[in-house]
Amino acid sequence: MNQPDKALLTPWPYPRWIAHRGAGKLAPENTLAAFRLGAAHGFRMFECDVKLSADGEPFLLHDSDLSRTTSGQGVAGEKRWDELSWLDAGSWHSPPYAGEPLLRLETLARWLQANELMVNLEIKPSPGHDALTGEVVAREVRRLWAGQAVWPLLSSFSVEALKSARDAAPEVPRALLLERLQPGWLDAALSLACVAVVGHHPELNAERIGQAHAAGLNVLTYTVNDSERAQALWALGLDGLITDAVDHLAPDRP
Ligand code: G3P
Ligand code: MG
């Protein structure tokens, strides 16, 4: 199959393979233990979910509520960082990870930079905090990655969060996350001055990938854990793939 013409796309500094929430399901998601395991499997880029504590500290957590993946309870965004920092974010997964703490964005930045690794920060606002989360995460990224060769890629399902990230730090690249590619999806991404869209993989096909490329947007997808599906998407010209399957879809084992 012919590859779509990518000559007009923005230069893309990111690797094709991206480990979901650090290391998918093999370690407690969004903890440093997960990133270390993902890196040990050869991944050079990671997706993770970022939200704010009540006192404005950006940290990693997927859910709004603490109970699934930590020893805490209640809405994470209603707790101060000094309360969140004591929680156990590893025991829920398995005994070897007992005591693993929640991860501040600042700590993650230090670890990624020390190891020359890249990241896709999904802005995952607590309910009702979209604009503030986008703004604070973008400002923190500007501060923490100043002078680095490659920015994190910011993404979000929240248009409001991406708008405020764009207003706060327009130079930090953005991608619009799309669970469904509804009419107007390309215009939505372009109006946010995104460099990419990140689509749920069943929504992607040759026509849609070609439309995005023709509009100057790269195309990433989540969350693909099947090697045949991954190969089919690469053949359509996909630019990046987020996976949980870090043990059998590792980049050094295509
Ligand atoms: O960023 C891609 C993917 O992580 C979006 O879905 O629910 O796993 O954060 P979710
Ligand atoms: Mg995510």
Side-chain angles (χ1 to χ4, degrees):
M1 180 180 299
N2 288 334
Q3 295 283 327
D5 182 7
K6 296 187 182 180
L8 298 177
L9 292 179
T10 309
W12 192 245
Y14 305 109
R16 299 201 311 166
W17 295 91
I18 303 166
H20 190 220
R21 306 183 195 175
K25 299 177 189 303
L26 294 183
E29 62 189 52
N30 288 317
T31 68
L32 196 50
F35 288 84
R36 287 186 170 126
L37 188 62
H41 281 281
F43 282 78
R44 294 175 46 237
M45 185 164 178
F46 307 87
E47 185 269 359
C48 59
D49 306 291
V50 187
K51 53 173 48 67
L52 301 181
S53 66
D55 52 340
E57 183 69 41
F59 72 101
L60 274 51
L61 189 74
H62 179 275
D63 299 1
S64 293
D65 193 275
L66 290 162
S67 56
R68 182 178 64 89
T69 59
T70 81
S71 55
Q73 288 186 332
V75 177
E78 294 177 355
K79 316 265 187 207
R80 296 186 317 273
W81 176 249
D82 64 356
E83 301 171 89
L84 295 168
S85 64
W86 289 99
L87 296 178
D88 178 345
S91 284
W92 70 275
H93 182 276
S94 54
Y97 295 110
E100 186 70 26
L102 290 170
L103 183 58
R104 293 164 71 216
L105 179 59
E106 181 157 2
T107 307
L108 176 65
R110 270 192 245 122
W111 182 82
L112 290 167
Q113 291 167 20
N115 291 284
E116 298 183 359
L117 297 167
M118 287 167 268
V119 73
N120 165 208
L121 300 173
E122 183 191 341
I123 303 169
K124 198 78 132 180
S126 297
H129 292 77
D130 296 56
L132 182 66
T133 308
E135 177 187 339
V136 172
V137 170
R139 282 197 202 289
E140 277 294 275
V141 165
R142 173 193 269 165
R143 181 179 73 84
L144 294 167
W145 272 267
Q148 296 291 312
V150 180
W151 288 113
L153 177 64
L154 301 181
S155 64
S156 192
F157 291 109
S158 166
V159 168
E160 193 181 349
L162 287 176
K163 269 186 191 155
S164 95
R166 177 197 61 193
D167 292 346
E171 71 276 30
V172 179
R174 290 167 302 284
L176 179 61
L177 266 162
L178 296 162
E179 189 174 0
R180 299 287 313 277
L181 271 63
Q182 310 272 20
W185 61 276
L186 262 182
D187 288 340
L190 293 170
S191 72
L192 293 160
C194 287
V195 298
V197 291
V198 187
H200 190 210
H201 75 90
E203 294 285 299
L204 295 182
N205 56 36
E207 183 185 4
R208 287 168 162 180
I209 292 173
Q211 287 170 341
H213 285 163
L217 295 166
N218 289 275
V219 182
L220 283 65
T221 196
Y222 72 95
T223 303
V224 178
N225 297 326
D226 175 81
S227 65
E228 283 185 16
R229 180 65 180 146
Q231 292 311 320
L233 288 162
W234 294 134
L236 299 180
L238 186 77
D239 302 291
L241 181 150
I242 298 170
T243 184
D244 290 317
V246 301
D247 50 345
H248 68 274
L249 287 188
D252 53 350
R253 288 175 233 131

